[in-house]
Amino acid sequence: MARDRSSSRVTLLLPTIFTHLIGLSITLLTLYWLVNFREGFAFTSHVKFKIFNLHPLLMILGLIIFSGEAMITYEAIPATRQTVKLIHLMFHLIALGTGTFGVYVVFKYHNELNIPHMYTLHSWIGLSTICLFGLQLLMGFVTFLFPGAKLATRARLAPWHVFFGLVIFVMVIVTAETGLTEKFIFQKLKQGQEALVVNFIGLLILVFGIFVGLIVVLSQRRK
């Protein structure tokens, strides 16, 4: 059993390293975009789009990077089962907190400019995603940590937990891609350096999502 787990981690090593590098690239490129082209961030400012800029940063860091890391570390980190569960939970809690604040920021921005709420597909998918994310986190905590279901029940529910986790992560990726597309259109970017940066962020997010899914699938096949 120990040898099988060790072999599994070796198999996952290269895609895990690559996925971490992609996640770092997404973070740095997003910061470069928002600071260099969008003039940075502010929670309170007379320049209202600085408030909005917190939204893509927090959503990308929270629901993409941190939740992706939660899924990766659960499958690849060399630690005891209980330790891995706690790390998995910690990353998801950070993701949910960051994402929730990101949603609050965009509502705040809309309120200050009297912009209608929830009128695009991006907003519909996004709010649905964060609600499902919170529900999945709550159900996972109650079932697998505290108070914890019986062993047979946990074994029966585990594949469904993984499945719905992947579904929600796909929804996260779709939300990000539709959000970037909206921003691209609203800012009338068309061509130029900023347009290239936004498109590359979208491509890297897609690649990140694919490799997170790959790591989860490979790890499930070896169990």
Side-chain angles (χ1 to χ4, degrees), residues 16-222:
T16 299
I17 292 173
F18 180 75
T19 307
H20 283 135
L21 291 175
I22 293 295
L24 178 62
S25 300
I26 292 169
T27 303
L28 294 176
L29 200 55
T30 301
L31 286 170
Y32 175 74
W33 168 42
L34 295 173
V35 172
N36 192 60
F37 294 102
R38 298 284 109 200
E39 299 185 33
F41 321 98
F43 184 70
T44 302
S45 175
H46 66 281
V47 183
K48 299 304 180 183
F49 63 78
K50 288 188 177 183
I51 299 173
F52 175 85
N53 288 346
L54 284 170
H55 175 69
L57 177 68
L58 292 169
M59 303 311 286
I60 288 173
L61 285 178
L63 294 183
I64 294 176
I65 303 301
F66 281 117
S67 67
E69 286 292 334
M71 298 168 75
I72 293 170
T73 52
Y74 189 79
E75 307 299 346
I77 190 170
T80 65
R81 196 71 169 172
Q82 195 66 17
T83 300
V84 168
K85 285 182 180 180
L86 290 173
I87 294 172
H88 183 70
L89 174 64
M90 179 190 69
F91 273 122
H92 273 317
L93 285 173
I94 294 171
L96 181 61
T98 308
T100 301
F101 187 55
V103 171
Y104 170 77
V105 165
V106 78
F107 273 86
K108 181 178 186 291
Y109 169 77
H110 281 200
N111 283 335
E112 293 189 11
L113 290 181
N114 294 316
I115 298 173
H117 299 299
M118 304 297 298
Y119 66 95
T120 65
L121 180 62
H122 166 70
S123 60
W124 291 5
I125 298 174
L127 194 59
S128 300
T129 299
I130 201 161
C131 290
L132 290 173
F133 191 98
L135 181 61
Q136 167 86 344
L137 180 59
L138 176 62
M139 294 300 295
F141 179 79
V142 171
T143 303
F144 299 104
L145 275 173
F146 183 82
K150 293 181 180 179
L151 187 61
T153 303
R154 279 183 283 164
R156 189 167 62 252
L157 292 178
W160 291 104
H161 181 71
V162 173
F163 170 73
F164 283 113
L166 283 173
V167 168
I168 292 168
F169 192 67
V170 169
M171 291 176 68
V172 167
I173 300 299
V174 171
T175 301
E177 301 293 9
T178 54
L180 288 171
T181 301
E182 274 189 13
K183 191 67 175 175
F184 194 100
I185 294 171
F186 291 166
Q187 297 298 323
K188 300 179 180 179
L189 296 181
K190 294 183 180 179
Q191 294 179 335
Q193 190 176 2
E194 184 179 2
L196 288 174
V197 170
V198 172
N199 281 340
F200 270 110
I201 291 171
L203 286 174
L204 289 174
I205 286 173
L206 179 61
V207 173
F208 184 79
I210 290 170
F211 272 83
V212 168
L214 174 65
I215 291 168
V216 172
V217 170
L218 287 177
S219 65
Q220 293 299 308
R221 288 187 63 187
R222 299 183 69 88

